[in-house]
Amino acid sequence: NTTLISALISLGESFNMRVVAEGVETQQQLDILHNLHCQTVQGYYLSQPLSIEEATQFLTFH
């Protein structure tokens, strides 16, 4: 799986696209993505779904 993820990240970057890893639920997944130089992630490990107001507050303080 890591090889496929690495290839997808590289492909996106080769097209100057921002790659977003979705569904990150564990520290291990976050570590793997960090090691593969994926800079944008989202998922329950970082936060539950938020309203616009909650998301704005979350992003302001984190």
Side-chain angles (χ1 to χ4, degrees):
N1 290 339
T2 303
T3 303
L4 178 60
I5 295 167
S6 179
L8 291 171
I9 292 169
S10 295
L11 180 63
E13 290 175 348
S14 73
F15 285 105
N16 294 319
M17 299 175 76
R18 175 178 236 162
V19 177
V20 179
E22 297 182 355
V24 178
E25 296 183 1
T26 67
Q27 181 66 49
Q28 181 183 13
Q29 292 170 337
L30 186 61
D31 291 342
I32 290 168
L33 291 164
H34 177 75
N35 290 335
L36 295 174
H37 306 288
C38 182
Q39 298 178 359
T40 308
V41 298
Q42 67 181 41
Y44 278 99
Y45 183 73
L46 303 170
S47 176
Q48 64 187 27
L50 302 173
S51 68
I52 293 172
E53 294 82 15
E54 292 169 321
T56 301
Q57 185 178 18
F58 179 84
L59 293 171
T60 299
F61 294 104
H62 294 89

